[in-house]
Amino acid sequence: DQQVKQNSPSLSVQEGRISILNCDYTNSMFDYFLWYKKYPAEGPTFLISISSIKDKNEDGRFTVFLNKSAKHLSLHIVPSQPGDSAVYFCAASATQGGSEKLVFGKGTKLTVNP
Amino acid sequence: GAGVSQSPRYKVAKRGQDVALRCDPISGHVSLFWYQQALGQGPEFLTYFQNEAQLDKSGLPSDRFFAERPEGSVSTLKIQRTQQEDSAVYLCASSLKGAMGDTQYFGPGTRLTVL
């Protein structure tokens, strides 16, 4: 069973507009969430994270929102740029469980059109 | 080094062969992780080390998979008697302090193809 779900395999947006990538999780023990960005033939690159004690974290053009009651998080990119085109992975960990392992979703491929 | 490095970048093996994949973490990083990424999927956890101690190997799919980090730095993932279902990208990641919530930094991966 997938504990972290990214239900949109792909998303296409126009340059300058907002990109919103969504992620749902089922394990209530997850308390730390991350977004990674991946270009072809490269490893995932850390983008932004959020702890479950917060509901929002912002870093430049990137903002992550966490809705614990809905077990849902989203990544907002504004304004979107062509260089943002990549696969975005949502990941979660249960830090209080004593393990640092990350559980990933299947990813959403974002295409930003010039 | 500047980042996590992995070698080889690509490996083709015949079914039944043994393979060894190497990971060089960021210097000074305490924790080291191995993940397996099948085509069209997200990375899946295999195992992790804190220094030389293997603290969690719950993700290793079978006893054909073995990982070690004998001196607490470089790690090797070994797969014995490879099968076609082992074909995947194997990702290594490291984190600095081994503390909860530490950012994991990934290497470029080794793409293993088993014929």
Side-chain angles (χ1 to χ4, degrees):
Chain A
D1 63 329
Q2 276 252 292
Q3 296 186 65
V4 176
K5 300 177 186 178
Q6 294 178 256
N7 291 320
S8 297
S10 62
L11 174 69
S12 184
V13 300
Q14 210 62 30
E15 180 178 6
R17 306 296 290 267
I18 185 170
S19 296
I20 300 177
L21 296 98
N22 293 302
C23 177
D24 296 291
Y25 62 96
T26 57
N27 189 340
S28 56
M29 298 300 292
F30 288 149
D31 57 2
Y32 188 65
F33 304 89
L34 308 90
W35 285 94
Y36 281 83
K37 172 180 175 180
K38 187 180 183 303
Y39 294 117
E42 295 183 13
T45 302
F46 170 74
L47 204 53
I48 193 168
S49 62
I50 188 166
S51 164
S52 60
I53 62 173
K54 296 186 174 182
D55 55 19
K56 177 183 173 181
N57 188 26
E58 191 172 349
D59 183 2
R61 297 186 296 115
F62 303 92
T63 303
V64 56
F65 296 92
L66 175 63
N67 182 334
K68 280 186 295 183
S69 61
K71 292 191 176 70
H72 177 83
L73 63 155
S74 60
L75 174 68
H76 293 210
I77 307 172
V78 54
S80 302
Q81 299 173 354
D84 296 329
S85 297
V87 177
Y88 289 77
F89 290 98
C90 172
S93 68
T95 64
Q96 297 306 309
S99 174
E100 297 179 56
K101 71 179 182 186
L102 296 178
V103 179
F104 285 84
K106 291 186 177 183
T108 296
K109 182 176 183 180
L110 173 66
T111 302
V112 180
N113 300 302
Chain B
V4 178
S5 60
Q6 293 185 245
S7 61
R9 290 293 314 275
Y10 302 91
K11 177 70 179 177
V12 178
K14 290 183 180 176
R15 191 159 47 112
Q17 280 185 334
D18 297 349
V19 299
L21 313 180
R22 177 187 169 108
C23 173
D24 285 82
I26 295 172
S27 178
H29 275 201
V30 169
S31 290
L32 184 146
F33 305 80
W34 285 99
Y35 293 85
Q36 179 191 58
Q37 185 176 15
L39 193 63
Q41 305 294 315
E44 289 196 5
F45 171 79
L46 293 176
T47 185
Y48 107 91
F49 295 83
Q50 201 167 88
N51 296 305
E52 67 278 3
Q54 190 173 18
L55 297 188
D56 187 345
K57 53 182 181 178
S58 62
L60 295 176
S62 76
D63 58 8
R64 296 186 296 104
F65 287 70
F66 172 76
E68 58 183 6
R69 194 186 186 199
E71 297 177 357
S73 56
V74 170
S75 176
T76 304
L77 176 67
K78 297 179 180 177
I79 309 173
Q80 297 177 325
R81 304 180 304 280
T82 52
Q83 304 294 315
Q84 283 190 320
E85 62 262 28
D86 300 335
S87 296
V89 175
Y90 290 85
L91 294 163
C92 176
S94 68
S95 67
L96 178 59
K97 298 178 186 174
M100 300 305 171
D102 254 359
T103 298
Q104 294 183 24
Y105 297 92
F106 283 81
T110 294
R111 180 177 294 278
L112 173 65
T113 303
V114 182
L115 302 176

